[in-house]
Amino acid sequence: MNSCDYRIFWEEAVKQLREEIGESIDLWFSRISYERSSESHIVLSVPSAFFRDQVRQRYEVSIEKKLYELFGTPIQLSFEVKHIQPAQDSPANTALPVGVEHSVGKAAEEQHTGIIPEAETPPQQNRSLFTGGAKKKATEAAQNPHPLLNDRYTFDKFVIDDDNPLPANAALAVSKNPGSSYNPLLIYGGVGLGKTHLMQAIGNELHNRGLKIMYTTAENFTNEFIEFLHKNKMHEFKNKYRNADALLIDDIHFFDKKEGTQEELFHTFNALYESKRQIVFTCDRPVEELKNLSERLRSRFTRGLSVDLKIPSYETRCAILFKKIEADNLAIPKEVVELLAKNISSNVRDLEGALTKLRAYSELTGPITMEIAQRLMQDVFGSPRQHNISVDSIQKIVADYFNISFVDLKSKKRTKNISFPRQVAMYLAREMTDFSTTELGVEFGGRDHSTIMHGHQKIETQIAITPSLEVNIAELKKRITNAAK
Ligand code: ADP
Ligand code: MG
């Protein structure tokens, strides 16, 4: 029997979070209900899978931290999706079934969206791979998603850009015939253009066919390499990466300047390549622009096929939005889709971000109209990159805002009161200017481009879970834009 009841801790946590963050959290928290508890575990219910994902992204860390403070040992949260009867005035909800599903797994969303689970779609088969044991493995694999791959990153969810079909077609070809003509496949291009999606689509496809897929980021590969080296367990590291049927390494620009890891990667590459295993890399720029990469590794990276992802055309941007709207069963008018596609031409991630914003609004308040979309998107559209914004002015405004000196902001000092504003400045510089991370590294006292990426990522994640930071960032953006006028 379960004698735990953490309801009062949950209620106290919400109360304290409201005091700290502000009443804005009610928008979300008023629709979360406490359900029950078991040992170190609270179950909450939410009205939709989308709502759950948003709450997790924005508040899960803060809630768990607060519960830990209050209770003294960690309490885990899980969410159940309880579909409620659609509100009369909300066409977005009309298709929702009434019922309860557990939040984990995809069941809730499939029922919600009507998407056929991927495992039921027969994968395109390469006959030569389907013999005996491989077939059995394939069946098992199709039932178990790969733990390191996002199961949403599949080919059927990727819209091929008519103006630039090569990257997607090359990835498809690799997924049909791994280890043959395009080896390695190198996918490069700016942020948010679908590199990780395409790479993982290859991984998912091959995984479903029973192949052993190793997916990692260059950063993770580097960290693991150092860790195994320290533990004197290099043989384990080698086994892990050299036993794969396909090796996927994301964001290889991170290898710039990491000589030791480059050496190890070179040997891993050769071992796999010689035994005709497929290798796929992604990079945020052409490999020629990686300055501190050994020549022999550079030649390995580009030995197969390199494809360049570009910003998709207007028509493709519309198609991407329509696809997501249809998959998620959203009620967003066509003219709003066109408005987004016309005004957001930075990358696909930004396009998705805009859609998420509209979706959150419609979940919480009501249907989206053109007027509402225009109002909600004001700050998204209203801030096209101004070309006269300098990194210098961003740094000065941020230093001033946080009451630290400009010199300290650019220095190597690592105390928190300085490193945090520095990361905020890195985030803003990346968001508001067109400088590459390498150029920004120079502007920030001769730092590595990966430091800029790390700073940007850290603030981006924190904004998602700390609404008060979002307010500070908006204020800083306003000051920077005004100063450049
Ligand atoms: P990158 O790795 O290049 O930074 P991602 O692969 O993470 O970009 O893509 C960012 C987001 O945009 C992901 O959610 C991805 O699914 C989506 N996306 C990118 N390109 C497309 C496309 N052509 N069709 C559908 N979704 C896309
Ligand atoms: Mg990526």
Side-chain angles (χ1 to χ4, degrees):
M1 283 292 286
N2 169 24
S3 57
C4 295
D5 188 355
Y6 301 134
R7 183 191 286 271
I8 74 165
F9 291 100
W10 160 250
E11 285 169 357
E12 183 60 24
V14 174
K15 191 168 142 240
Q16 293 196 15
L17 285 172
R18 183 183 294 118
E19 279 160 19
E20 286 164 26
I21 300 173
E23 285 174 6
S24 62
I25 69 164
D26 287 345
L27 205 59
W28 296 97
F29 280 63
S30 63
R31 299 180 66 190
I32 306 176
S33 310
Y34 171 89
E35 286 293 319
R36 60 185 177 278
S37 324
S38 59
E39 187 70 35
S40 310
H41 189 180
I42 291 181
V43 181
L44 303 168
S45 68
V46 287
S48 72
F50 170 76
F51 192 97
R52 173 201 66 212
D53 295 345
Q54 291 292 308
V55 167
R56 290 202 116 138
Q57 199 189 19
R58 286 162 195 254
Y59 300 111
E60 188 170 26
V61 175
S62 318
I63 303 172
E64 288 188 344
K65 220 170 109 201
K66 185 53 78 186
L67 286 169
Y68 182 71
E69 270 171 45
L70 294 169
F71 191 66
T73 56
I75 296 183
Q76 264 195 335
L77 297 177
S78 68
F79 294 85
E80 277 181 3
V81 177
K82 273 195 172 173
H83 291 309
I84 41 169
Q85 282 287 11
Q88 295 268 306
D89 60 350
S90 172
N93 286 340
T94 44
L96 294 185
V98 181
V100 182
E101 294 126 17
H102 200 269
S103 71
V104 274
K106 297 187 297 170
E109 269 152 77
E110 275 143 16
Q111 203 171 341
H112 180 158
T113 59
I115 298 173
I116 302 164
E118 264 122 53
E120 286 172 16
T121 322
Q124 271 155 335
Q125 299 181 359
N126 174 344
R127 295 223 152 265
S128 63
L129 286 167
F130 273 79
T131 48
K135 201 165 193 170
K136 182 161 167 277
K137 269 205 283 177
T139 323
E140 284 165 13
Q143 285 159 1
N144 296 315
H146 191 290
L148 300 175
L149 299 175
N150 184 334
D151 61 2
R152 285 172 177 275
Y153 289 165
T154 52
F155 285 112
D156 62 342
K157 295 202 170 65
F158 194 88
V159 178
I160 300 183
D161 185 11
D162 284 341
D163 288 352
N164 182 28
L166 182 64
N169 285 330
L172 261 170
V174 163
S175 75
K176 285 184 190 148
N177 255 321
S180 50
S181 14
Y182 307 131
N183 204 14
L185 176 67
L186 171 68
I187 305 168
Y188 69 93
V191 290
L193 292 178
K195 301 184 295 293
T196 300
H197 187 139
L198 272 185
M199 169 183 254
Q200 295 207 6
I202 299 175
N204 277 316
E205 184 74 35
L206 296 179
H207 171 72
N208 286 343
R209 298 216 315 248
L211 268 67
K212 193 168 163 201
I213 309 302
M214 204 48 230
Y215 168 85
T216 186
T217 60
E219 180 167 11
N220 190 45
F221 186 91
T222 305
N223 292 341
E224 270 189 22
F225 170 69
I226 296 166
E227 195 186 314
F228 279 81
L229 198 64
H230 278 191
K231 287 192 198 147
N232 234 338
K233 289 187 169 167
M234 272 315 286
H235 56 284
E236 279 183 29
F237 183 84
K238 288 187 203 305
N239 276 344
K240 178 170 176 181
Y241 287 100
R242 297 185 193 180
N243 280 336
D245 293 320
L247 173 65
L248 320 177
I249 305 187
D250 215 349
D251 295 329
I252 56 164
H253 39 269
F254 190 85
F255 288 131
D256 220 19
K257 281 200 190 141
K258 314 272 184 320
E259 286 86 8
T261 319
Q262 285 183 24
E263 172 81 17
E264 180 54 33
L265 179 65
F266 175 75
H267 295 298
T268 306
F269 181 97
N270 288 342
L272 291 168
Y273 185 83
E274 274 151 28
S275 49
K276 295 209 171 348
R277 315 292 173 88
Q278 180 67 45
I279 304 159
V280 186
F281 299 118
T282 71
C283 188
D284 72 353
R285 68 200 91 157
V287 171
E288 302 77 65
E289 286 179 26
L290 298 176
K291 295 200 181 69
N292 299 291
L293 193 69
S294 74
E295 252 338 292
R296 55 185 194 165
L297 200 52
R298 189 190 310 274
S299 79
R300 295 303 187 283
F301 283 158
T302 50
R303 179 179 279 182
L305 176 68
S306 301
V307 290
D308 180 6
L309 274 171
K310 301 194 174 80
I311 293 160
S313 66
Y314 167 76
E315 289 74 18
T316 309
R317 298 202 292 277
C318 286
I320 291 172
L321 289 170
F322 282 128
K323 193 162 187 119
K324 293 195 187 297
I325 287 168
E326 192 188 294
D328 294 349
N329 204 9
L330 304 177
I332 306 230
K334 182 162 172 268
E335 52 176 2
V336 171
V337 169
E338 288 164 358
L339 177 82
L340 298 187
K342 199 159 97 211
N343 287 284
I344 303 174
S345 54
S346 42
N347 62 55
V348 183
R349 189 172 296 148
D350 289 350
L351 214 54
E352 283 187 348
L355 201 58
T356 304
K357 195 166 175 180
L358 294 184
R359 182 175 181 166
Y361 180 92
S362 76
E363 290 255 338
L364 293 167
T365 50
I368 296 292
T369 61
M370 188 67 170
E371 289 68 41
I372 291 173
Q374 268 163 338
R375 184 158 53 75
L376 288 176
M377 290 295 124
Q378 227 162 35
D379 56 326
V380 180
F381 300 162
S383 55
R385 293 197 170 169
Q386 271 173 279
H387 292 294
N388 51 349
I389 290 179
S390 70
V391 179
D392 206 55
S393 93
I394 294 179
Q395 290 166 333
K396 283 191 178 126
I397 290 168
V398 172
D400 197 43
Y401 187 82
F402 286 100
N403 248 326
I404 62 168
S405 79
F406 175 65
V407 175
D408 276 350
L409 188 125
K410 289 180 67 162
S411 71
K412 303 268 181 227
K413 285 186 191 165
R414 298 171 72 119
T415 47
K416 197 159 178 246
N417 68 324
I418 295 180
S419 63
F420 180 71
R422 184 184 295 135
Q423 285 173 334
V424 168
M426 288 175 180
Y427 171 83
L428 290 166
R430 190 106 169 80
E431 291 286 313
M432 301 181 79
T433 73
D434 285 324
F435 295 107
S436 71
T437 45
T438 312
E439 288 165 325
L440 290 177
V442 175
E443 298 282 337
F444 277 85
R447 290 181 153 81
D448 194 77
H449 74 95
S450 59
T451 311
I452 305 290
M453 287 176 51
H454 177 72
H456 177 268
Q457 219 165 49
K458 193 159 162 213
I459 299 299
E460 193 172 45
T461 317
Q462 267 183 300
I463 293 174
I465 55 172
T466 327
S468 54
L469 181 59
E470 200 176 345
V471 176
N472 294 338
I473 296 284
E475 170 60 25
L476 278 164
K477 277 190 179 167
K478 204 162 81 194
R479 290 190 192 184
I480 293 163
T481 315
N482 287 340
K485 271 181 186 159

